[in-house]
Amino acid sequence: MERRRHEHEARLMAIYSGLRRMLFALEAETSHDFALAALAGASRSRIATALLAKCNRRRDLPRKVMGINFPNPVGLAAGLDKRARACNALHALGFGWVELGAVTPLPQPGNPKPRIFRLPEQHALINRMGFNSGGLASFVRNLARAAPGIIKGVNIGKNAATAMDDAHADYAACMEAVHMHADYISVNISSPNTQGLRDLQEEGALAPLLAALNRKRGELAEASGRRVPLVLKIAPDLGGGALDALAGVARKHRIDGIAATNTTLSRDGVGHALAGEVGGLSGAPLGARATETVARLSRNLQGEIPIIGVGGIDSAEDALEKFEAGAELVQIYTGFIYRGPRLIGEIIERLRARQARPAEKNVHSANPKARCA
Ligand SMILES: Cc1cc2nc3c(=O)[nH]c(=O)nc-3n(C[C@H](O)[C@H](O)[C@H](O)COP(=O)(O)O)c2cc1C
C-alpha cells in the first residue's frame, strides 16, 4: 500500500516537473492563468480532485488555531486564486487550507501587463498586480461551489477608485458578502500595489478601521450566530516601533490572527536584472525579513494572538524557522510556484519527524503556544 502511494506520488512529481518546464517557458502571467484554468477545471471534476488527493493521504497533521481545526498547518497564501475558482483542486494537492482572494467589492482590472516577473535564480517573484479582481458577486458564487469541509480564508481589499477615507466601507462590504462561506477573513492592509493601502497599518488609521470591522462583525455574528475570525495581513517593511504599535492595536481590538508577511519593497541582496521592476518581492530573498517580523511580533504578543508565518518559505527548513520564530501556521505562494506541491509534503514530513523527537530544543521560539512544530 505504502509502496503504491510512493509510486503514485513519484508519478505525480514527474508530471509536475514536465508541467513546470512547460509553464516556465511561458510568460509569467500567461503560465499562471493557464495553470489556474487547469486547476479550476480539475476543481469541477470529482475524479480529477480524487486523483490529486490520492497521493496526499498522509498530509494530516492537525492544528487548532483561532478555533479552527486545520488538517495540517501548511496553507496556500493569498493571491494565487483571486476568484476562488480552484479551491477543490488546491486543497487536493495537500494544503491544510487555502486563502482565496484578494477580492474587492467591484470588479477591477489591476495594473497594466506585464506585472509579474520571475527571478528564477533566486526562487523569487516581483509582482505589481494591483488587486485585479472579478468583484464580490462572482467571487461569492464560486466560493459557494467549493466542496464542503475545505478550510477557506478569504483575503479582502479595497477598490483602487475608493478614497482612502472610505476604505472601511469596502472592507465591510467584502466581509458581509463572504462571511457565510469563510472560515476566517484576512484584512489585507499590506499590498504595496494599491496606493495608500499600507498607510492603514499606522496606529491612527488602523484603530478606527478595526473598530468599524468589529462593529460589522458583531452585527453579522448576531444575525447568523457565527463569529468569523479576523486576521490582519501585514507588510514586512514596518519598522520595529510601528510593528509593536500595530500589535498593540490588534490586541486591543481582539484580532484573531496576524499573517506576517506580504511582499516586500526592499531589494536587499537581490542582484538581478529585473530587481528594478516596481512591485512587491516574494520568495526566498524575503524569507529572513519575514521571519524577523514573525519573531518580533511573537515576542510582543506572547501567544495572545496566533501568527501565520508567510514569506520566502522554499524548503522544510525555512518553514521550521517560521515556527521557531513563533508562527503557529505557515503559508506558501512563491515556493509553491518553484517547488510544486512536493514542498507541502516535505514541510509536513519534517514537522512530523520533529514532533517525534520532543527533546529537540526549540531555541528561538518566544511564543509559549508555538511549540507545535
Ligand atoms: C502574484 C502575487 C499576488 C499576490 N496577491 C496577494 C493578494 O491578493 N493578497 C495578499 O494578501 N497577498 C498577496 N500576495 C502575497 C502572498 O500572499 C505572500 O504573502 C507573499 O508572496 C510572501 O509569500 P511567498 O514568499 O511564499 O510568496 C501575492 C503574491 C504574489 C506573488
Side-chain angles (χ1 to χ4, degrees):
M1 195 70 178
E2 188 67 1
R3 194 170 58 88
R4 277 186 56 196
R5 193 181 64 80
H6 279 299
E7 280 170 8
H8 188 70
E9 194 159 303
R11 261 200 306 276
L12 195 88
M13 289 315 157
I15 294 170
Y16 178 75
S17 298
L19 262 178
R20 184 187 181 278
R21 261 197 304 279
M22 190 191 87
L23 289 171
F24 271 60
L26 300 171
E27 186 273 328
E29 190 165 349
T30 308
S31 82
H32 170 272
D33 291 349
F34 183 82
L36 207 70
L39 288 166
S43 285
R44 289 192 294 273
S45 154
R46 285 219 187 122
I47 296 173
T49 47
L51 274 174
L52 287 175
K54 207 171 157 193
C55 48
N56 299 317
R57 270 174 299 185
R58 274 182 52 77
R59 302 267 160 99
D60 52 311
L61 192 65
R63 293 279 184 277
K64 187 166 185 176
V65 181
M66 304 187 288
I68 301 167
N69 291 310
F70 292 89
N72 73 55
V74 185
L76 173 70
L80 193 113
D81 187 5
K82 286 181 188 273
R83 294 174 182 237
R85 290 185 304 150
C87 189
N88 299 348
L90 287 164
H91 176 257
L93 289 176
F95 285 110
W97 82 100
V98 287
E99 189 167 312
L100 305 158
V103 63
T104 56
L106 300 174
Q108 61 176 31
N111 289 322
K113 296 178 185 177
R115 51 193 182 177
I116 313 184
F117 306 89
R118 292 192 196 100
L119 288 62
E121 299 83 356
Q122 273 104 349
H123 274 205
L125 296 170
I126 292 175
N127 92 82
R128 50 170 178 268
M129 302 300 285
F131 281 167
N132 52 312
S133 170
L136 271 175
S138 64
F139 184 92
V140 172
R141 269 198 307 278
N142 294 339
L143 191 60
R145 279 200 285 262
I150 299 176
I151 310 278
K152 300 174 289 294
V154 178
N155 188 273
I156 60 173
K158 70 172 269 298
N159 280 116
T162 304
M164 285 310 297
D165 283 347
D166 299 326
H168 66 279
D170 274 16
Y171 289 107
C174 290
M175 216 171 150
E176 179 157 11
V178 305
H179 103 282
M180 277 296 290
H181 306 286
D183 291 277
Y184 71 84
I185 293 172
S186 178
V187 184
N188 181 355
I189 47 172
S190 51
S191 167
N193 302 312
T194 294
Q195 213 182 359
L197 196 82
R198 285 186 165 193
D199 296 345
L200 293 172
Q201 296 174 112
E202 286 164 20
E203 205 175 347
L206 186 59
L209 173 67
L210 296 187
L213 294 184
N214 266 335
R215 265 197 306 281
K216 178 52 110 184
R217 170 165 64 167
E219 289 164 22
L220 293 168
E222 206 160 297
S224 67
R226 195 166 159 263
R227 181 185 182 276
V228 179
L230 272 190
V231 169
L232 271 189
K233 175 91 177 254
I234 68 164
D237 302 327
L238 293 162
L243 191 58
D244 292 343
L246 179 145
V249 179
R251 193 189 271 125
K252 187 169 167 220
H253 290 270
R254 303 181 318 283
I255 290 304
D256 302 273
I258 299 185
T261 66
N262 211 313
T263 56
T264 180
L265 289 171
S266 163
R267 297 294 187 265
D268 285 355
V270 186
H272 194 282
L274 294 173
E277 287 294 343
V278 171
L281 173 77
S282 59
L286 164 65
R289 185 177 274 259
T291 305
E292 279 163 26
T293 307
V294 170
R296 181 151 186 149
L297 266 179
S298 174
R299 281 195 297 275
N300 186 308
L301 294 168
Q302 289 293 311
E304 221 176 291
I305 300 178
I307 300 166
I308 303 171
V310 48
I313 297 177
D314 198 54
S315 68
E317 285 308 311
D318 295 337
L320 272 192
E321 282 177 16
K322 294 282 189 291
F323 285 112
E324 290 181 352
E328 293 189 39
L329 300 167
V330 293
Q331 288 178 311
I332 56 176
Y333 184 140
T334 308
F336 176 62
I337 303 294
Y338 284 102
R339 302 282 325 285
R342 79 171 62 179
L343 179 56
I344 309 165
E346 282 175 19
I347 296 172
I348 293 170
E349 286 305 323
R350 184 74 177 82
L351 291 177
R352 238 190 232 124
R354 193 164 182 272
Q355 210 163 256
R357 281 180 281 126
E360 193 172 328
K361 216 171 156 198
N362 184 350
V363 281
H364 305 295
S365 179
N367 172 3
K369 284 194 189 163
R371 307 264 190 257
C372 58

